[in-house]
Amino acid sequence: MLARDLRDILAGLFVAAVGLFFAIGGMGYAMGSAARMGPGYLPVILGWVLFVMGVLIALPAWFRQGDRIVVHWDSLAASLGSLVVFAFLLNTLGVFFSTMLAVLVASLPKPMRMGMRLVIAGIIAVITSLIFIVGLNMTISMFPEF
């Protein structure tokens, strides 16, 4: 046990820092009003909300005990690897197959049957394809073009 909940302190400080970054960065744009929002309105308001939430996460953690932070390096490496796989294969294989491969790479550290991995990868690939291509109307291919 640690004297302080270091995990929540670090998480709260990170959230507060991200919020402060966007709040200060958005101040360079026109704010507008709630009825006619300018380009700086949303980043500034949400940035300050994030900052306050980060402080509200970190402050109580200062006064309670916490557990040691355990980093699962294999999961971290698999997550980063899946992002790299998705980024490099998106233009070549399309959204569907690059998402499937990224999910398969991300799931490698945990014991699971290959059939279950493929089912999960397929479901996530369908949802991702629907979001990017149908929902956001992005001009990227769903499948590879030969």
Side-chain angles (χ1 to χ4, degrees), residues 19-94:
L20 195 60
F21 174 79
F22 281 102
I24 292 172
M27 287 181 168
Y29 298 103
M31 282 290 289
S33 66
R36 290 191 51 84
M37 295 180 196
Y41 190 87
L42 194 65
V44 170
I45 299 298
L46 289 180
W48 286 117
V49 168
L50 267 177
F51 176 77
V52 169
M53 288 175 59
V55 169
L56 291 176
I57 291 170
L59 197 58
W62 188 262
F63 300 104
R64 68 173 176 252
Q65 290 183 339
D67 296 327
R68 292 197 172 278
I69 296 175
V70 178
V71 179
H72 299 276
W73 294 105
D74 55 345
S75 296
L76 178 63
S79 296
L80 292 174
S82 70
L83 289 172
V84 171
V85 164
F86 182 79
F88 280 111
L89 295 179
L90 180 60
N91 288 333
T92 307
L93 296 180

Coordinates of all heavy atoms in Angstrom, one line a residue, residues 19-94:
G19 N -7.2 19.2 -20.2 CA -8.2 20.3 -20.2 C -7.6 21.7 -20.2 O -8.1 22.5 -21.0
L20 N -6.6 21.9 -19.5 CA -5.9 23.2 -19.4 C -5.3 23.5 -20.8 O -5.4 24.7 -21.3 CB -4.8 23.2 -18.3 CG -4.3 24.6 -17.9 CD1 -5.4 25.5 -17.4 CD2 -3.2 24.4 -16.9
F21 N -4.7 22.5 -21.4 CA -4.1 22.7 -22.8 C -5.2 23.2 -23.8 O -5.0 24.2 -24.5 CB -3.5 21.4 -23.2 CG -3.0 21.5 -24.6 CD1 -1.8 22.0 -25.0 CD2 -3.7 20.9 -25.7 CE1 -1.3 22.1 -26.3 CE2 -3.3 20.9 -27.0 CZ -2.1 21.5 -27.3
F22 N -6.3 22.5 -23.8 CA -7.4 22.9 -24.7 C -8.0 24.2 -24.4 O -8.4 25.0 -25.2 CB -8.4 21.8 -24.9 CG -7.9 20.7 -25.8 CD1 -7.4 19.5 -25.3 CD2 -7.9 20.9 -27.2 CE1 -7.0 18.5 -26.1 CE2 -7.4 19.9 -28.0 CZ -6.9 18.7 -27.4
A23 N -8.2 24.5 -23.1 CA -8.8 25.7 -22.6 C -7.9 26.9 -23.0 O -8.4 27.9 -23.6 CB -9.1 25.7 -21.1
I24 N -6.6 26.8 -22.8 CA -5.8 27.9 -23.1 C -5.6 28.0 -24.6 O -5.6 29.1 -25.2 CB -4.4 27.7 -22.4 CG1 -4.6 27.9 -20.9 CG2 -3.4 28.7 -22.9 CD1 -3.4 27.6 -20.1
G25 N -5.5 26.9 -25.3 CA -5.3 26.9 -26.8 C -6.5 27.5 -27.5 O -6.4 28.1 -28.5
G26 N -7.7 27.2 -26.9 CA -9.0 27.7 -27.6 C -9.2 29.2 -27.3 O -10.1 29.8 -28.0
M27 N -8.5 29.8 -26.4 CA -8.7 31.2 -26.1 C -8.3 32.1 -27.3 O -8.6 33.3 -27.3 CB -8.1 31.6 -24.8 CG -8.8 31.1 -23.6 SD -7.9 31.6 -22.1 CE -9.1 31.2 -20.9
G28 N -7.5 31.6 -28.2 CA -7.0 32.3 -29.3 C -8.1 32.5 -30.4 O -7.9 33.2 -31.3
Y29 N -9.1 31.8 -30.3 CA -10.2 31.8 -31.2 C -11.4 32.7 -30.7 O -11.5 32.9 -29.5 CB -10.7 30.4 -31.6 CG -9.7 29.5 -32.2 CD1 -9.0 28.6 -31.5 CD2 -9.3 29.7 -33.5 CE1 -8.0 27.8 -32.0 CE2 -8.3 28.9 -34.1 CZ -7.7 27.9 -33.3 OH -6.7 27.2 -33.9
A30 N -12.3 33.1 -31.6 CA -13.4 33.8 -31.2 C -14.4 32.9 -30.4 O -14.7 31.8 -30.8 CB -14.2 34.4 -32.4
M31 N -14.8 33.4 -29.2 CA -15.7 32.6 -28.4 C -17.1 32.6 -28.8 O -17.8 31.6 -28.9 CB -15.7 33.2 -26.9 CG -14.4 32.8 -26.2 SD -14.4 31.1 -25.8 CE -15.7 31.0 -24.5
G32 N -17.7 33.8 -29.2 CA -19.1 33.8 -29.5 C -19.9 33.7 -28.3 O -19.5 34.0 -27.2
S33 N -21.2 33.2 -28.4 CA -22.0 33.0 -27.2 C -22.6 31.6 -27.3 O -22.4 30.9 -28.3 CB -23.2 34.1 -27.3 OG -24.0 33.9 -28.4
A34 N -23.4 31.3 -26.3 CA -24.1 30.0 -26.3 C -25.0 29.8 -27.5 O -25.2 28.7 -28.0 CB -24.8 29.7 -25.0
A35 N -25.6 30.9 -27.9 CA -26.6 30.8 -29.0 C -25.8 30.8 -30.4 O -26.3 30.1 -31.3 CB -27.5 32.0 -29.0
R36 N -24.7 31.5 -30.5 CA -23.9 31.6 -31.7 C -22.5 31.3 -31.3 O -21.7 32.2 -31.1 CB -24.1 32.9 -32.4 CG -25.4 33.1 -33.0 CD -25.5 34.3 -34.0 NE -24.5 34.4 -35.0 CZ -24.6 33.8 -36.2 NH1 -25.6 32.9 -36.5 NH2 -23.6 33.9 -37.1
M37 N -22.2 30.0 -31.2 CA -20.8 29.6 -30.8 C -19.8 29.9 -31.8 O -20.0 29.6 -33.0 CB -20.8 28.1 -30.5 CG -21.7 27.7 -29.4 SD -21.6 25.9 -29.1 CE -23.0 25.7 -28.1
G38 N -18.7 30.4 -31.4 CA -17.5 30.6 -32.2 C -16.6 29.4 -32.2 O -16.9 28.4 -31.4
P39 N -15.5 29.4 -33.0 CA -14.7 28.2 -33.0 C -13.9 28.0 -31.7 O -13.5 26.8 -31.5 CB -13.7 28.6 -34.1 CG -13.8 30.0 -34.3 CD -15.1 30.5 -33.9
G40 N -13.8 28.9 -30.8 CA -13.2 28.7 -29.5 C -14.1 28.3 -28.4 O -13.6 27.9 -27.3
Y41 N -15.4 28.4 -28.6 CA -16.3 28.1 -27.5 C -16.2 26.7 -27.0 O -16.0 26.5 -25.8 CB -17.8 28.4 -28.0 CG -18.8 28.4 -27.0 CD1 -19.1 29.6 -26.3 CD2 -19.5 27.3 -26.6 CE1 -20.0 29.7 -25.3 CE2 -20.5 27.3 -25.6 CZ -20.7 28.5 -24.9 OH -21.6 28.6 -23.9
L42 N -16.3 25.7 -27.8 CA -16.3 24.4 -27.4 C -15.0 23.9 -26.7 O -15.0 23.4 -25.6 CB -16.7 23.4 -28.5 CG -17.1 22.0 -28.1 CD1 -18.3 22.0 -27.3 CD2 -17.3 21.1 -29.4
P43 N -13.9 24.2 -27.4 CA -12.6 23.8 -26.7 C -12.4 24.5 -25.4 O -11.9 23.9 -24.4 CB -11.5 24.2 -27.7 CG -12.1 24.7 -28.9 CD -13.6 24.7 -28.7
V44 N -12.8 25.7 -25.3 CA -12.6 26.5 -24.0 C -13.5 25.9 -22.9 O -13.0 25.6 -21.8 CB -12.7 28.0 -24.2 CG1 -12.8 28.7 -22.8 CG2 -11.6 28.5 -25.0
I45 N -14.8 25.8 -23.2 CA -15.7 25.3 -22.2 C -15.4 23.9 -21.8 O -15.3 23.5 -20.6 CB -17.2 25.4 -22.7 CG1 -17.5 26.8 -23.0 CG2 -18.1 24.8 -21.7 CD1 -17.5 27.8 -21.8
L46 N -15.2 23.0 -22.8 CA -14.9 21.6 -22.4 C -13.5 21.5 -21.8 O -13.3 20.6 -20.9 CB -15.0 20.7 -23.7 CG -16.4 20.5 -24.2 CD1 -16.3 19.6 -25.4 CD2 -17.2 19.9 -23.1
G47 N -12.6 22.3 -22.2 CA -11.2 22.3 -21.5 C -11.3 22.6 -20.1 O -10.7 22.0 -19.2
W48 N -12.1 23.7 -19.7 CA -12.2 24.0 -18.3 C -13.0 22.9 -17.5 O -12.7 22.6 -16.4 CB -12.9 25.4 -18.1 CG -11.9 26.5 -18.5 CD1 -12.1 27.4 -19.5 CD2 -10.7 26.8 -17.8 NE1 -11.0 28.2 -19.5 CE2 -10.1 27.9 -18.5 CE3 -10.0 26.2 -16.8 CZ2 -8.9 28.4 -18.1 CZ3 -8.7 26.8 -16.4 CH2 -8.2 27.9 -17.1
V49 N -14.0 22.3 -18.2 CA -14.7 21.2 -17.5 C -13.8 20.1 -17.3 O -13.8 19.5 -16.2 CB -15.9 20.8 -18.4 CG1 -16.5 19.5 -17.9 CG2 -17.0 21.9 -18.4
L50 N -12.9 19.7 -18.2 CA -11.9 18.7 -18.0 C -11.0 19.0 -16.9 O -10.6 18.2 -16.1 CB -11.2 18.4 -19.3 CG -11.7 17.4 -20.3 CD1 -10.8 17.3 -21.5 CD2 -11.7 16.0 -19.6
F51 N -10.5 20.3 -16.9 CA -9.6 20.7 -15.9 C -10.2 20.5 -14.5 O -9.6 20.0 -13.6 CB -9.2 22.2 -16.1 CG -8.3 22.7 -15.0 CD1 -7.0 22.4 -14.9 CD2 -8.9 23.5 -14.0 CE1 -6.2 22.9 -13.9 CE2 -8.1 24.0 -13.0 CZ -6.7 23.7 -13.0
V52 N -11.5 21.0 -14.3 CA -12.2 20.8 -13.0 C -12.3 19.3 -12.7 O -12.1 18.9 -11.5 CB -13.5 21.6 -13.0 CG1 -14.3 21.2 -11.8 CG2 -13.3 23.1 -13.1
M53 N -12.7 18.5 -13.6 CA -12.9 17.1 -13.4 C -11.6 16.4 -13.0 O -11.5 15.6 -12.1 CB -13.5 16.4 -14.6 CG -15.0 16.7 -14.8 SD -15.6 16.1 -16.3 CE -15.4 14.3 -16.1
G54 N -10.5 16.8 -13.6 CA -9.2 16.3 -13.3 C -8.8 16.7 -11.8 O -8.3 15.8 -11.1
V55 N -9.1 17.9 -11.4 CA -8.8 18.3 -10.1 C -9.7 17.5 -9.1 O -9.2 17.1 -8.0 CB -9.0 19.8 -9.9 CG1 -9.0 20.2 -8.4 CG2 -7.9 20.6 -10.7
L56 N -10.9 17.3 -9.5 CA -11.8 16.5 -8.6 C -11.5 15.1 -8.5 O -11.8 14.4 -7.5 CB -13.3 16.7 -9.1 CG -13.9 18.1 -8.9 CD1 -15.3 18.1 -9.5 CD2 -13.9 18.5 -7.4
I57 N -10.7 14.6 -9.5 CA -10.2 13.2 -9.4 C -9.0 13.2 -8.5 O -8.8 12.3 -7.7 CB -9.9 12.7 -10.8 CG1 -11.2 12.4 -11.6 CG2 -9.1 11.4 -10.7 CD1 -11.0 12.1 -13.1
A58 N -8.1 14.1 -8.7 CA -6.8 14.1 -8.0 C -6.9 14.5 -6.6 O -6.1 13.9 -5.7 CB -5.8 15.0 -8.8
L59 N -7.7 15.4 -6.3 CA -7.7 16.0 -4.9 C -8.1 15.0 -3.8 O -7.4 14.8 -2.8 CB -8.7 17.2 -4.8 CG -8.5 18.1 -3.6 CD1 -7.1 18.6 -3.6 CD2 -9.5 19.3 -3.7
P60 N -9.2 14.2 -4.0 CA -9.5 13.2 -3.0 C -8.5 12.1 -2.9 O -8.3 11.5 -1.8 CB -10.9 12.6 -3.4 CG -11.4 13.6 -4.4 CD -10.3 14.3 -5.0
A61 N -7.8 11.8 -4.0 CA -6.8 10.7 -4.1 C -5.6 11.1 -3.2 O -4.9 10.2 -2.8 CB -6.4 10.5 -5.5
W62 N -5.4 12.4 -3.0 CA -4.3 12.8 -2.2 C -4.5 12.4 -0.7 O -3.5 12.2 0.0 CB -4.2 14.3 -2.3 CG -2.9 14.9 -1.6 CD1 -2.8 15.4 -0.4 CD2 -1.6 14.9 -2.2 NE1 -1.6 15.8 -0.1 CE2 -0.8 15.5 -1.2 CE3 -1.1 14.5 -3.4 CZ2 0.6 15.7 -1.4 CZ3 0.3 14.7 -3.6 CH2 1.1 15.3 -2.6
F63 N -5.7 12.2 -0.3 CA -6.0 11.9 1.1 C -6.4 10.4 1.4 O -6.9 10.1 2.4 CB -7.1 12.8 1.6 CG -6.8 14.3 1.5 CD1 -7.3 15.0 0.5 CD2 -5.9 14.8 2.4 CE1 -7.0 16.4 0.3 CE2 -5.6 16.2 2.3 CZ -6.1 16.9 1.2
R64 N -6.2 9.5 0.4 CA -6.5 8.1 0.6 C -5.3 7.3 0.2 O -4.5 7.7 -0.6 CB -7.7 7.7 -0.1 CG -7.7 7.7 -1.6 CD -8.9 7.1 -2.2 NE -8.8 7.2 -3.6 CZ -9.5 8.1 -4.4 NH1 -10.4 8.9 -3.8 NH2 -9.4 8.1 -5.7
Q65 N -5.2 6.1 0.7 CA -4.2 5.1 0.4 C -4.5 4.5 -1.0 O -5.7 4.3 -1.3 CB -4.0 4.1 1.4 CG -3.4 4.6 2.7 CD -3.3 3.4 3.7 OE1 -3.9 2.4 3.6 NE2 -2.4 3.7 4.7
G66 N -3.5 4.1 -1.6 CA -3.7 3.4 -2.9 C -2.7 2.2 -3.1 O -1.8 2.0 -2.3
D67 N -3.0 1.5 -4.1 CA -2.1 0.3 -4.4 C -1.0 0.8 -5.4 O -1.0 1.8 -6.0 CB -2.9 -0.7 -5.2 CG -4.0 -1.3 -4.3 OD1 -3.8 -1.4 -3.0 OD2 -5.1 -1.7 -4.8
R68 N 0.0 -0.1 -5.4 CA 1.1 0.2 -6.4 C 0.6 0.1 -7.8 O -0.3 -0.6 -8.1 CB 2.2 -0.8 -6.2 CG 2.9 -0.7 -4.9 CD 4.2 -1.5 -5.0 NE 5.1 -1.3 -3.8 CZ 5.8 -0.2 -3.6 NH1 5.9 0.7 -4.5 NH2 6.6 -0.1 -2.5
I69 N 1.2 0.9 -8.7 CA 0.9 0.9 -10.1 C 1.6 -0.3 -10.7 O 2.8 -0.4 -10.6 CB 1.2 2.2 -10.7 CG1 0.4 3.3 -10.1 CG2 1.0 2.1 -12.2 CD1 0.8 4.7 -10.6
V70 N 0.8 -1.1 -11.4 CA 1.4 -2.2 -12.2 C 1.2 -2.0 -13.6 O 0.1 -1.8 -14.1 CB 0.7 -3.6 -11.8 CG1 1.3 -4.7 -12.6 CG2 0.9 -3.8 -10.3
V71 N 2.3 -1.9 -14.4 CA 2.2 -1.7 -15.8 C 2.2 -3.0 -16.5 O 3.2 -3.8 -16.3 CB 3.3 -0.7 -16.3 CG1 3.2 -0.5 -17.8 CG2 3.3 0.6 -15.6
H72 N 1.3 -3.3 -17.3 CA 1.2 -4.5 -18.1 C 1.9 -4.2 -19.5 O 1.2 -3.7 -20.4 CB -0.2 -5.0 -18.3 CG -0.9 -5.4 -17.0 ND1 -0.7 -6.6 -16.4 CD2 -1.6 -4.6 -16.2 CE1 -1.4 -6.6 -15.3 NE2 -1.9 -5.4 -15.1
W73 N 3.2 -4.4 -19.5 CA 3.9 -4.0 -20.7 C 3.5 -4.7 -22.0 O 3.5 -4.2 -23.1 CB 5.4 -4.2 -20.4 CG 6.0 -3.3 -19.4 CD1 6.3 -3.7 -18.1 CD2 6.2 -1.9 -19.5 NE1 6.7 -2.6 -17.4 CE2 6.6 -1.5 -18.2 CE3 6.0 -1.0 -20.5 CZ2 7.0 -0.1 -17.9 CZ3 6.4 0.4 -20.2 CH2 6.8 0.8 -19.0
D74 N 3.1 -6.0 -21.8 CA 2.7 -6.7 -23.0 C 1.4 -6.1 -23.6 O 1.3 -6.0 -24.8 CB 2.5 -8.2 -22.7 CG 1.5 -8.5 -21.5 OD1 1.2 -7.5 -20.8 OD2 1.1 -9.6 -21.3
S75 N 0.5 -5.7 -22.7 CA -0.8 -5.1 -23.2 C -0.5 -3.7 -23.9 O -1.1 -3.4 -24.9 CB -1.8 -5.0 -22.1 OG -2.2 -6.2 -21.6
L76 N 0.4 -3.0 -23.2 CA 0.8 -1.7 -23.8 C 1.4 -1.8 -25.2 O 1.1 -1.1 -26.1 CB 1.8 -1.0 -22.8 CG 2.3 0.4 -23.3 CD1 1.1 1.4 -23.4 CD2 3.3 0.9 -22.3
A77 N 2.4 -2.8 -25.3 CA 3.0 -3.0 -26.6 C 2.0 -3.5 -27.6 O 2.1 -3.1 -28.8 CB 4.1 -4.0 -26.4
A78 N 1.1 -4.3 -27.3 CA 0.1 -4.8 -28.2 C -0.9 -3.7 -28.6 O -1.2 -3.6 -29.8 CB -0.7 -6.0 -27.6
S79 N -1.2 -2.8 -27.7 CA -2.1 -1.7 -28.1 C -1.4 -0.7 -29.0 O -2.0 -0.3 -30.0 CB -2.5 -0.9 -26.8 OG -3.3 -1.7 -26.0
L80 N -0.1 -0.4 -28.7 CA 0.6 0.5 -29.6 C 0.8 -0.2 -31.0 O 0.8 0.4 -32.0 CB 1.9 0.9 -29.0 CG 1.8 1.8 -27.8 CD1 3.2 2.0 -27.1 CD2 1.2 3.1 -28.1
G81 N 1.1 -1.5 -30.9 CA 1.3 -2.3 -32.2 C 0.1 -2.3 -33.0 O 0.1 -2.2 -34.3
S82 N -1.1 -2.4 -32.4 CA -2.3 -2.4 -33.2 C -2.6 -1.1 -33.8 O -3.1 -1.0 -34.9 CB -3.5 -2.8 -32.3 OG -3.8 -1.8 -31.3
L83 N -2.2 0.0 -33.2 CA -2.4 1.3 -33.8 C -1.5 1.5 -35.0 O -1.9 2.0 -36.0 CB -2.1 2.4 -32.8 CG -3.1 2.6 -31.7 CD1 -2.6 3.6 -30.6 CD2 -4.4 3.1 -32.2
V84 N -0.3 1.0 -34.9 CA 0.7 1.0 -36.0 C 0.2 0.2 -37.2 O 0.2 0.6 -38.3 CB 2.1 0.6 -35.6 CG1 3.0 0.4 -36.7 CG2 2.7 1.6 -34.6
V85 N -0.3 -1.0 -36.8 CA -0.9 -1.9 -37.9 C -2.0 -1.2 -38.6 O -2.1 -1.2 -39.8 CB -1.3 -3.3 -37.3 CG1 -2.2 -4.0 -38.2 CG2 -0.1 -4.1 -36.9
F86 N -2.9 -0.6 -37.8 CA -4.1 0.0 -38.4 C -3.7 1.2 -39.3 O -4.1 1.3 -40.5 CB -5.0 0.5 -37.3 CG -6.3 1.2 -37.9 CD1 -7.3 0.4 -38.4 CD2 -6.4 2.6 -38.0 CE1 -8.5 1.0 -38.9 CE2 -7.5 3.2 -38.5 CZ -8.6 2.4 -38.9
A87 N -2.7 2.0 -38.8 CA -2.3 3.2 -39.6 C -1.6 2.8 -40.9 O -1.9 3.4 -41.9 CB -1.4 4.0 -38.7
F88 N -0.8 1.8 -40.8 CA 0.0 1.4 -42.0 C -0.8 0.6 -43.0 O -0.6 0.6 -44.2 CB 1.3 0.6 -41.7 CG 2.4 1.5 -41.2 CD1 2.8 1.5 -39.9 CD2 3.0 2.4 -42.1 CE1 3.8 2.4 -39.5 CE2 4.0 3.2 -41.8 CZ 4.4 3.2 -40.4
L89 N -1.8 -0.1 -42.6 CA -2.6 -1.0 -43.5 C -3.9 -0.4 -44.0 O -4.6 -1.0 -44.8 CB -2.9 -2.3 -42.8 CG -1.6 -3.2 -42.5 CD1 -2.0 -4.5 -41.8 CD2 -0.9 -3.5 -43.8
L90 N -4.3 0.8 -43.4 CA -5.6 1.3 -43.7 C -5.8 1.6 -45.2 O -6.8 1.2 -45.8 CB -5.8 2.6 -43.0 CG -7.2 3.3 -43.2 CD1 -8.3 2.4 -42.8 CD2 -7.2 4.6 -42.4
N91 N -4.8 2.2 -45.9 CA -4.9 2.6 -47.3 C -4.8 1.3 -48.2 O -5.4 1.3 -49.2 CB -3.8 3.6 -47.7 CG -4.1 4.9 -47.2 OD1 -5.3 5.3 -46.9 ND2 -3.1 5.7 -46.9
T92 N -4.1 0.3 -47.7 CA -3.9 -0.9 -48.5 C -5.0 -1.9 -48.4 O -5.5 -2.4 -49.4 CB -2.6 -1.6 -48.0 OG1 -1.5 -0.7 -48.1 CG2 -2.3 -2.8 -49.0
L93 N -5.5 -2.2 -47.2 CA -6.5 -3.2 -46.9 C -7.9 -2.6 -46.7 O -8.8 -3.4 -46.7 CB -6.1 -4.0 -45.7 CG -4.8 -4.9 -45.8 CD1 -4.6 -5.6 -44.6 CD2 -4.9 -5.8 -47.0
G94 N -8.0 -1.4 -46.5 CA -9.3 -0.8 -46.3 C -9.7 -0.8 -44.8 O -8.9 -1.4 -44.0

